[in-house]
Amino acid sequence: MQETLVAPACPECDAEVSLGTDARVSEIVECPECRLELEIESVEPPLLILAPEVEEDWGE
Amino acid sequence: MSSAAARLGVLASRVRFEEKNILTALERRGVACEQIDPRTLSVRAGTPWDGPQTVLNREVGHYRALYAASALESAGVTVLNTAAATAVCGDKWQTSATLVARGLPTPETTLALTPEAALKALEELGYPAVIKPLVGSWGRLVTRVTDRAMAEAVLEHLAALPSPQSHIVYVQREIAKADRDIRVLVVGGRAVGATYRRSEDWRTNVARGAVSERCPLEPELTALAVAAADTVGATLAGVDLLEEPGGRLTVLEVNDRVEFRGLQSTYGTDLDVAETIAALLTAKAGAQS
């Protein structure tokens, strides 16, 4: 089983969001409670911010 | 691993499945690499850059990817894919025009310079036809128009949009395809994997819920995908192919910052896409040093 870092709080609903030890800055994760996309702003200490809104020119 | 002396960079503001696995694969190889976030990037034209001298462009935003590549190249950095390839792949008309110039099969396409001209073009192409934004992906705002009344409504909406680019209309004949298309992943001039993308939606984007199934790398498919990637100058490419009635393959588009989560899931341990990309990137960096 993957080890987890201390779970930071979702900035929207305050739920705990488990991050694996392989978490990376700028990684996109989903809040298990409110399902919002979150961005890992910092790994040490673990910190989440709301992910940017999808822009018109995003894609592959 | 990340260091000021990193030789390889991965340009990405969003670290998704693809970027995370590529960074991990590079680290597994013991390569000094770093993620470069374009939201913090500025580059002085014509001045050597003190960051990695070989950069993989994985920025999700087209314009940010295009200008980051151009700026880094101006500073002497090797960028995969090049700014020129990004410019072609990121614009559907540029892609179509380039494929046609090379004589590769691609759906019949017309560029109309005004919504009024687009209506005339649609009448000539026949219905159903497809209107697509020049820039954008994941099937967003791609519209299937089935008759003149619908075309008039869609074009009226386009005419009301504020951006001048929205008034340039890309119109394509619809291919009466099966419920699937084919995505071929080309890395360094070699087709490394392919999937069928099957969907009940007429748009077969994985981002819209399409299901991936492994597709055999038949010679015709492989040759066409490699030729398409080469034509647009893309070292790394996701080439989307359609099967026309009768089985002829045609190139729909070439993605320069290809997503491969779906393809990877169908291959399991038979193919490590991130590792394949990391190997190419490492070789390119070695060639530069």
Side-chain angles (χ1 to χ4, degrees):
Chain A
M1 182 178 286
Q2 184 171 264
E3 292 178 46
T4 55
L5 295 166
V6 174
C10 170
E12 184 70 15
C13 73
D14 214 31
E16 286 190 352
V17 183
S18 296
L19 302 180
T21 50
D22 62 349
R24 290 180 179 275
V25 170
S26 302
E27 187 176 344
I28 301 298
V29 296
E30 187 182 85
C31 173
E33 293 292 330
C34 68
R35 299 288 172 193
L36 272 184
E37 273 198 337
L38 306 171
E39 177 181 341
I40 301 176
E41 187 179 42
S42 157
V43 172
E44 292 177 2
L47 186 62
L48 297 169
I49 57 174
L50 295 179
E53 293 286 325
V54 173
E55 294 185 38
E56 201 175 296
D57 72 334
W58 281 22
E60 295 187 299
Chain B
M1 187 190 305
S2 177
S3 77
R7 293 167 54 229
L8 290 171
V10 176
L11 187 76
S13 57
R14 284 168 72 91
V15 174
R16 300 166 293 176
F17 170 90
E18 289 83 0
E19 291 74 32
K20 187 169 183 173
N21 280 277
I22 291 168
L23 284 162
T24 301
L26 287 168
E27 289 168 359
R28 215 168 35 224
R29 291 175 147 262
V31 177
C33 65
E34 66 176 85
Q35 178 217 346
I36 302 161
D37 189 336
R39 292 173 296 186
T40 64
L41 182 66
S42 63
V43 181
R44 182 168 297 188
T47 303
W49 193 51
D50 61 3
Q53 294 302 298
T54 303
V55 169
L56 175 66
N57 194 348
R58 294 290 315 179
E59 169 52 25
V60 69
H62 169 64
Y63 289 107
R64 226 155 42 189
L66 175 60
Y67 284 97
S70 178
L72 288 170
E73 286 174 4
S74 165
V77 176
T78 298
V79 184
L80 299 179
N81 290 312
T82 62
T86 302
V88 173
C89 294
D91 183 305
K92 289 188 173 60
W93 170 251
Q94 297 297 340
T95 303
S96 296
T98 306
L99 292 171
V100 167
R102 175 69 81 90
L104 295 182
T106 190
E108 193 179 344
T109 301
T110 301
L111 190 70
L113 280 303
T114 63
E116 295 77 17
L119 186 62
K120 185 165 175 284
L122 281 162
E123 294 287 312
E124 288 170 4
L125 272 177
Y127 300 101
V130 181
I131 295 176
K132 299 179 179 181
L134 291 172
V135 172
S137 196
W138 300 331
R140 283 166 305 156
L141 301 178
V142 172
T143 308
R144 180 174 182 264
V145 288
T146 53
D147 55 41
R148 184 184 174 103
M150 188 178 178
E152 286 176 338
V154 170
L155 293 170
E156 189 176 343
H157 281 276
L158 288 182
L161 291 175
S163 161
Q165 196 199 46
S166 302
H167 305 161
I168 313 261
V169 187
Y170 178 97
V171 179
Q172 195 164 60
R173 181 171 64 86
E174 186 189 52
I175 299 286
K177 63 186 173 71
D179 62 344
R180 66 184 190 188
D181 70 2
I182 301 171
R183 160 65 58 88
V184 186
L185 184 67
V186 178
V187 180
R190 191 168 61 91
V192 299
T195 53
Y196 292 115
R197 298 184 304 179
R198 198 180 294 278
S199 174
E200 290 179 9
D201 190 310
W202 66 279
R203 292 169 291 188
T204 40
N205 301 83
V206 170
R208 307 200 79 83
V211 176
S212 293
E213 298 167 9
R214 203 190 295 196
C215 169
L217 280 171
E218 303 288 358
E220 184 198 358
L221 171 154
T222 300
L224 183 55
V226 170
D230 178 64
T231 297
V232 299
T235 307
L236 291 154
V239 182
D240 293 345
L241 305 176
L242 296 179
E243 300 155 286
E244 295 200 66
R248 179 178 182 251
L249 292 171
T250 189
V251 183
L252 186 63
E253 60 182 71
V254 185
N255 298 283
D256 59 307
R257 283 153 288 137
V258 56
E259 294 171 356
F260 52 79
R261 188 173 197 151
L263 187 142
Q264 180 63 72
S265 71
T266 69
Y267 274 82
T269 56
D270 293 343
L271 170 69
D272 186 335
V273 174
E275 168 55 28
T276 306
I277 293 171
L280 176 76
L281 198 56
T282 307
K284 291 280 182 189
Q288 297 302 318
S289 61

Coordinates of all heavy atoms in Angstrom, one line a residue, chain B residues 173-178 242-250:
Chain B
R173 N -16.0 17.9 -44.0 CA -16.9 16.9 -44.4 C -16.9 15.8 -43.3 O -15.8 15.4 -42.9 CB -16.5 16.2 -45.7 CG -17.5 15.2 -46.2 CD -17.1 14.8 -47.7 NE -15.8 14.2 -47.8 CZ -15.5 12.9 -47.6 NH1 -16.5 12.1 -47.3 NH2 -14.3 12.4 -47.8
E174 N -18.1 15.3 -42.9 CA -18.1 14.3 -41.9 C -17.8 12.9 -42.5 O -18.3 12.6 -43.6 CB -19.5 14.2 -41.3 CG -19.5 13.2 -40.1 CD -20.9 12.9 -39.6 OE1 -21.8 12.6 -40.4 OE2 -21.1 13.1 -38.4
I175 N -16.9 12.2 -41.9 CA -16.6 10.8 -42.3 C -17.7 9.9 -41.6 O -17.8 9.9 -40.4 CB -15.2 10.4 -41.9 CG1 -14.2 11.3 -42.5 CG2 -15.0 9.0 -42.2 CD1 -13.9 11.1 -43.9
A176 N -18.4 9.1 -42.4 CA -19.3 8.2 -41.9 C -18.5 7.0 -41.3 O -18.3 6.0 -41.9 CB -20.3 7.7 -43.0
K177 N -18.1 7.2 -40.1 CA -17.1 6.3 -39.5 C -17.9 5.3 -38.6 O -19.1 5.5 -38.3 CB -16.1 7.0 -38.7 CG -16.6 7.8 -37.5 CD -15.4 8.5 -36.9 CE -15.8 9.5 -35.8 NZ -16.3 8.9 -34.6
A178 N -17.2 4.3 -38.2 CA -17.7 3.3 -37.2 C -17.7 4.0 -35.9 O -17.4 5.2 -35.8 CB -16.8 2.1 -37.2
L242 N -9.1 7.9 -38.9 CA -10.5 7.4 -39.1 C -10.4 6.3 -40.2 O -9.7 6.4 -41.1 CB -11.4 8.5 -39.5 CG -11.6 9.7 -38.6 CD1 -12.6 10.7 -39.2 CD2 -12.2 9.2 -37.3
E243 N -11.4 5.4 -40.0 CA -11.5 4.4 -41.1 C -12.7 4.8 -41.9 O -13.9 4.8 -41.4 CB -11.8 3.0 -40.4 CG -10.7 2.5 -39.5 CD -11.2 1.6 -38.5 OE1 -11.9 2.0 -37.5 OE2 -10.9 0.4 -38.6
E244 N -12.5 5.1 -43.2 CA -13.6 5.5 -44.0 C -14.3 4.2 -44.4 O -13.8 3.1 -44.4 CB -13.0 6.2 -45.3 CG -12.4 7.5 -44.9 CD -12.3 8.4 -46.2 OE1 -13.4 8.8 -46.7 OE2 -11.2 8.7 -46.6
P245 N -15.6 4.3 -44.9 CA -16.3 3.2 -45.4 C -15.5 2.5 -46.5 O -15.0 3.2 -47.4 CB -17.6 3.8 -45.9 CG -17.8 5.0 -45.2 CD -16.4 5.6 -44.9
G246 N -15.2 1.3 -46.4 CA -14.3 0.6 -47.4 C -13.0 0.3 -46.8 O -12.2 -0.4 -47.3
G247 N -12.7 1.0 -45.6 CA -11.5 0.6 -44.9 C -10.3 1.6 -45.1 O -9.3 1.4 -44.4
R248 N -10.5 2.5 -46.0 CA -9.3 3.4 -46.2 C -9.1 4.3 -45.0 O -10.1 4.8 -44.4 CB -9.7 4.3 -47.4 CG -8.6 5.4 -47.7 CD -9.0 6.1 -49.0 NE -8.1 7.1 -49.4 CZ -8.2 8.4 -49.3 NH1 -9.3 8.9 -48.7 NH2 -7.3 9.2 -49.7
L249 N -7.9 4.5 -44.6 CA -7.6 5.3 -43.4 C -7.3 6.7 -43.8 O -6.8 7.0 -44.9 CB -6.3 4.7 -42.8 CG -6.4 3.4 -42.1 CD1 -5.0 2.9 -41.7 CD2 -7.3 3.4 -40.9
T250 N -7.8 7.6 -43.0 CA -7.5 9.0 -43.2 C -7.1 9.7 -41.9 O -7.5 9.3 -40.8 CB -8.8 9.7 -43.8 OG1 -8.6 11.0 -44.2 CG2 -10.0 9.7 -42.8

